[in-house]
Amino acid sequence: MILEAALEVFSMHGFRGATIDQIAEVAGMSKPNLLYYFPRKEEIHRRLISALLHTWLAPLKEMDERGDPIPEIRSYIRRKLEMARDYPRESRLFANEMLQGAPRIIEMIEVDLRNLVDEKAQVLLAWMEEGKLAHADPYHLIFSIWATTQHYADFDVQVRAVLGPDRNGEGRFEDAARYLEHLFMHGLAPRGARAAG
C-alpha cells in the first residue's frame, strides 16, 4: 500500500516535491504508521527505484543472442512499448530521477545497467559483423529505442493531445509499434535486404 501510494506521489511530484505526508494521505494511513515501515522518504524511493530498475531491464535481458536479429529487435521494441503503456508512472519516476542526475541510483546505473547494455551491445555488434544487421553504433541504437518507446509514457499527455480524440485511445500503442518497427527494421536491414525491400 505504501509503495503503491509512493509511486503515485513520486511520479507526479518527483523526489524533491514528494513528502511523507502526501504518501501517507494517498496510502490512507497516518504518518506515524507509515514511518514505522519506512523511517525516511529516501528508503521508500530507493525500494521503488530498485524494483523499477529490475522491471526496466527485463525486456533488454530477453534479447536472445541465438535468435534472429530482426525479430529479436522487433520484440524488444514491442516489450518497451508495452511497458510504456502498462507502467507510465514507473517511467516518469525513472525519468525524474535521471533529470535530477540520478543521485540516488547512480551506482545501479553505472554497474547493473551499464553491464547489461555492454553485453547486449556485443550481441548487436556480432549480428552486424555476421551481416545480419546494418552497421550502426549499438549503444546509440539502444538509446534510440529507449527514447522513442518511453516517449509514449513520459509524454503521454502530449501524445494524446496531438493525436486528438479520434486517435488517442489504446490503439495509439499499436500504431506506434508498427511505425517504430518499420523505422528501425528498415534502418537495420542489411544493405542487400534494403535494396530488395
Side-chain angles (χ1 to χ4, degrees):
M1 234 171 40
I2 294 170
L3 292 173
E4 177 64 23
L7 176 59
E8 187 67 31
V9 173
F10 283 130
S11 71
M12 288 189 64
H13 303 289
F15 179 80
R16 290 185 186 139
T19 67
I20 290 286
D21 289 319
Q22 290 169 324
I23 297 168
E25 182 181 335
V26 173
M29 61 194 319
S30 69
K31 182 177 177 179
N33 196 13
L34 184 148
L35 291 172
Y36 173 80
Y37 295 100
F38 292 99
R40 300 174 60 234
K41 177 172 80 167
E42 290 79 4
E43 291 177 33
I44 303 171
H45 191 267
R46 182 141 182 97
R47 175 85 72 84
L48 280 173
I49 287 285
S50 294
L52 168 63
L53 203 54
H54 177 74
T55 302
W56 233 237
L57 296 181
L60 188 55
K61 285 180 181 174
E62 291 177 28
M63 188 185 292
D64 186 355
E65 65 184 296
R66 296 161 301 181
D68 186 1
I70 296 295
E72 286 296 321
I73 295 169
R74 181 178 285 126
S75 292
Y76 179 54
I77 291 168
R78 286 265 172 180
R79 289 189 301 269
K80 289 294 292 173
L81 275 171
E82 287 167 6
M83 290 190 73
R85 182 193 64 211
D86 298 341
Y87 302 102
R89 295 176 307 166
E90 289 84 348
S91 184
R92 287 190 296 273
L93 174 68
F94 189 75
N96 279 329
E97 182 68 12
M98 293 304 101
L99 289 171
Q100 293 175 21
R104 289 159 289 278
I105 62 165
I106 192 67
E107 327 80 54
M108 288 185 241
I109 293 171
E110 290 178 340
V111 177
D112 300 338
L113 183 58
R114 177 189 265 168
N115 289 343
L116 178 61
V117 172
D118 284 346
E119 175 191 323
K120 296 307 178 178
Q122 291 307 309
V123 169
L124 292 166
L125 277 173
W127 286 338
M128 291 170 194
E129 292 302 318
E130 293 167 9
K132 296 177 179 178
L133 291 177
H135 284 274
D137 184 306
Y139 291 91
H140 290 288
L141 171 58
I142 292 169
F143 297 156
S144 296
I145 293 171
W146 290 350
T148 54
T149 55
Q150 286 175 222
H151 178 84
Y152 291 91
D154 300 340
F155 294 91
D156 185 54
V157 171
Q158 174 187 333
V159 169
R160 286 185 289 115
V162 171
L163 289 176
D166 295 336
R167 296 188 59 206
N168 73 8
E170 284 303 306
R172 71 187 182 279
F173 291 100
E174 182 57 34
D175 293 344
R178 281 195 303 270
Y179 170 75
L180 292 175
E181 286 172 6
H182 175 77
L183 176 72
F184 283 106
M185 298 310 98
H186 181 73
L188 290 171
R191 183 165 278 139
R194 264 186 280 174

